Structures are given as C-alpha cells and as structure tokens.
Amino acid sequence: MTAQIFGVRHLSPAAAFYLRQYLADKKPKCILIEGPSDATQFIHHIANSTVHPPIAIMAYTQSFPIESVLFPLANYSPEYQAIAWGKEHKCDVAFIDLPAASSLKFRQIMRETKANLLAEADEDKDDSANPLRQEFHESQHQLYANIAKLADEQDYESYWERNFEHSPSVQHYQNGIVFQSSQIREMTESTEAVAEPLDNAYNHIREAHMHSEVLRIQKEKGYQLDEIVIIVGAYHVAGLEARFASETIEQMPPLPNAEIKQTLMPYSYLRLSSRTGYGAGNRAPYYFGMMWDALQSNNLDNLAAQYLTKITQDLRKDGHNASSASVIEAVRLSHALTSLKGGQYPVLSDLHEAAITCLGEGELS
C-alpha cells in the first residue's frame, strides 16, 4: 500500500475544488492536514456551521521577544475544504505538522543563527569575496521570477494562475503541481548557498514529524494506509513519499518548545493578501473567492465578465463614468490578451490591463 498524498498550494481555489473531487473518489476514513498538530483541538470549531471564513489559528509566545504564527483559512483554502468534507462524511480529521510551540521556538533559533551568520559576513566588507549577504536575499523569489520569465509571463502569479488555477482536471492539477514542486525542491536543495541549509533542515524536520504523526494516528486508530488521505503543501510531497517508501522510520528527537497560547480568531480577506506581508497569501483574495464560486458553479468562463462588472459597479458608486460598452470591450480585450499567451481564460493581470485600458482610459488612478 502506498500513501495517498494530495499536494496543494495554500489559498488555491483550484486546489480546494479538485481536492474535494479527490476525496469523493478516494472516500477516506481519515484526513490528515499540514497544520499545527497542537491545534487539532480547533478543528471541530472550524467545522462548525456558524463559523464563517476567513478565520485564522493564531499562536504566540508568552515571553519576550514576542513571536506569533498564523494559520489562516479562507473558504477556498484546500485545508478548510478538507475539514468541511471530513465533517460532511464523518471522517477523523487532524493536523500533523510541527506543533506551533515548536515552530515558534525553531523560528527564534533560525533567526538568531542567521543573524550570527550575517554578522560574520559583515566582517568581510568585500561582497565579491564573501557572497553570503547576497545569498540571504536571493531566495526562492528569484527562482519564481525566472520561471515567470521563461514562461513569458509578467510575474509568477500570472504564470501560476494560467497553468494551475485553470487546470482542466484533478489529474492535470496534481501531476503539474507535484512535478514542478519536486523540481524546485531539487534545485533549492542542491544549492551551495550558505543560507539555504537552515530552511532545508527545517523542512526535513517538519516532514519527519508529519511522517511520524501519520504512522502514530494510523496505529492508534487502526487504519490501513489507503484509508488515509494526507494533504500537504506540494513542496513536501516528494519528501513524504520518500519516507513512506523507505523501510526505515526516522526517530524524532525531543522537539524544542516555547511557552505559547493559541486561539481561533476572525480574519479578513485584506489580511490574506500577500501585500500585507503574509508569505503564503495571494495578491487578490476577493478575486480568488470569486474564482472559487465560479469553479463550484462550473462557470469559470464567465469570471472575467463578473470581475470587470464588479469594478464598473464600484466606479459608478464613486461617481465615475463606466459604461456597459466599456465593460464589453474590457472583457474582449482580456480574452485577446490571454490568447496571446495560449491561455484558455484571462488571468488577473490580463483583467487589470483590460480594466486600465477600457475603464480607466489608460490610467491606473
């Protein structure tokens, strides 16, 4: 028996949509999700019909320096839809990632270690002789920018939406995201950069913990491995598959812990935006909420018209002239732009270009 692992991107409507199809096909008895394992206590609250996303699990340290970690969920988060599906079908559902108490402690350790390495680098004023400082600033952001450039997209988010959010099937989505993530993993783990091993080591610790949690829950509950579906960020699929394929089980040493408190709190679409500094966010949470609704109603081809109409309504409320004819032209332009990229549906950047041209007369303001 092999582990059933579904790779996702956090806050991906397509991941949430196809995950529900995958769960309906596999009919698991247990669903295990990448999330703080000491927050499993909140799952029955998250699944409560009176609780409406966006919400977030928040953990924070009780002594200085205060550290906090957030695990936000929108209604189109694949993790949230997994919890909802599990409740609907009376499955056991649990989080299996490092406890928040350990994550926060590791964050402190890694920050101090990187600070020490940077201090050592600063002793050498010749950057050409000591490239360490450059390595700290050229992380995966540059890699993603290179992917977008090779795909002739203006940014990685446009590349992602065109190639993944518009996937035609669950197999296409899953095969694509797992392949790309495994390639990125190989590239980042083979780098000789001094800074990367800290992040790589942390990921390996997380995956070892998730693997041990799956085996623990499987043994305690008496499930077969094929009765469990494991949902993790696609980057971790290759690491977990290797562990399940191995005959040896890595023994986890005691984890460092910080004294923390946790709570389930209301959240907002604004704070889910990557523009607020949330690393796993997206640029337009409301837009992807509209995409989630369109996927559920099998109406993705009408999303461009709905989005541009919403912009027009807001313009009119502010007293600007925005005609129906301009909306029609904007929709046509967005489809023309995406056809130049070989896409099926306009992506957000196409819609922005069309809105600026047809509704803003060429001016973003």
Side-chain angles (χ1 to χ4, degrees):
M1 288 182 292
T2 58
Q4 300 185 120
I5 306 173
F6 194 92
V8 301
R9 188 191 194 195
H10 309 299
L11 296 174
S12 165
F17 181 72
Y18 287 126
L19 174 58
R20 288 190 69 98
Q21 290 187 12
Y22 182 86
L23 292 171
D25 178 58
K26 298 299 181 181
K27 298 179 175 60
K29 294 182 180 178
C30 179
I31 299 173
L32 302 178
I33 303 168
E34 178 192 323
S37 53
D38 52 357
T40 293
Q41 59 180 314
F42 294 117
I43 286 179
H44 74 283
H45 293 299
I46 295 170
N48 192 308
S49 60
T50 63
V51 175
H52 303 288
I55 53 177
I57 298 168
M58 180 182 182
Y60 56 94
T61 57
Q62 295 183 258
S63 58
F64 290 102
I66 299 296
E67 295 269 5
S68 65
V69 63
L70 284 164
F71 185 66
L73 298 165
N75 64 342
Y76 56 86
S77 295
E79 299 89 347
Y80 176 77
Q81 288 301 322
I83 291 170
W85 194 95
K87 181 186 178 183
E88 293 164 14
H89 296 84
K90 298 180 172 57
C91 293
D92 279 332
V93 183
F95 292 130
I96 56 170
D97 203 352
L98 285 175
S102 298
S103 296
L104 286 167
K105 189 63 178 179
F106 274 120
R107 179 179 293 188
Q108 293 174 346
I109 294 170
M110 291 173 68
R111 186 183 64 245
E112 291 169 1
T113 303
K114 288 183 178 181
N116 290 336
L117 288 171
L118 284 172
E120 292 176 9
D122 283 339
E123 293 178 3
D124 188 342
K125 301 301 182 183
D126 184 0
D127 285 342
S128 62
N130 193 331
L132 179 60
R133 181 166 289 281
Q134 283 291 107
E135 293 169 1
F136 269 86
H137 296 287
E138 294 181 1
S139 60
Q140 293 183 0
H141 295 295
Q142 186 58 51
L143 176 59
Y144 292 143
N146 291 340
I147 291 172
K149 184 177 180 180
L150 289 169
D152 193 27
E153 295 284 1
Q154 70 179 46
D155 53 40
Y156 181 78
E157 292 305 313
S158 297
Y159 162 82
W160 170 268
E161 186 180 351
R162 206 181 308 279
N163 289 277
F164 292 95
E165 298 300 337
H166 297 167
S167 291
S169 68
V170 61
Q171 292 82 9
H172 184 277
Y173 179 88
Q174 192 59 193
N175 291 343
I177 192 174
V178 170
F179 175 77
Q180 175 171 297
S181 298
S182 65
Q183 294 294 301
I184 290 175
R185 184 186 182 108
E186 286 183 18
M187 292 175 69
T188 56
E189 291 195 345
S190 64
T191 181
E192 296 180 358
V194 179
E196 292 295 343
L198 287 171
D199 297 321
N200 294 337
Y202 180 59
N203 280 325
H204 281 284
I205 292 169
R206 290 177 61 196
E207 288 163 3
H209 181 79
M210 287 191 277
H211 182 224
S212 66
E213 281 291 281
V214 173
L215 296 180
R216 179 187 65 78
I217 292 170
Q218 179 191 6
K219 181 178 179 181
E220 288 181 1
K221 301 286 187 176
Y223 293 122
Q224 298 295 317
L225 199 56
D226 60 1
E227 293 176 323
I228 300 172
V229 166
I230 305 162
I231 300 157
V232 296
Y235 185 89
H236 300 296
V237 171
L240 285 175
E241 285 181 340
R243 282 181 161 80
F244 281 107
S246 174
E247 294 183 0
T248 60
I249 299 174
E250 189 172 348
Q251 296 298 315
M252 289 293 295
L255 294 170
N257 288 306
E259 295 239 349
I260 68 163
K261 286 189 175 180
Q262 290 190 89
T263 186
L264 184 65
M265 59 184 283
Y267 217 56
S268 69
Y269 275 124
L270 174 64
R271 291 187 177 277
L272 287 171
S273 171
S274 56
R275 300 182 189 196
T276 65
Y278 174 47
N282 58 49
R283 291 183 303 174
Y286 283 107
Y287 167 74
F288 287 103
M290 294 175 69
M291 181 183 289
W292 166 247
D293 293 337
L295 284 166
Q296 288 185 291
S297 60
N298 194 29
N299 197 26
L300 196 58
D301 57 347
N302 204 33
L303 177 59
Q306 291 175 339
Y307 179 75
L308 291 166
T309 298
K310 180 66 173 67
I311 292 177
T312 303
Q313 291 170 345
D314 288 345
L315 285 170
R316 289 173 179 171
K317 286 178 184 177
D318 288 340
H320 298 289
N321 181 28
S323 68
S324 298
S326 296
V327 177
I328 293 170
E329 289 304 314
V331 172
R332 287 174 175 169
L333 177 56
S334 69
H335 280 278
L337 290 171
T338 201
S339 69
L340 294 174
K341 302 288 187 180
Q344 183 176 4
Y345 306 110
V347 299
L348 186 60
S349 59
D350 298 329
L351 296 173
H352 282 178
E353 294 290 343
I356 292 169
T357 302
C358 300
L359 301 175
E361 299 180 351
E363 296 291 337
L364 176 60
S365 58

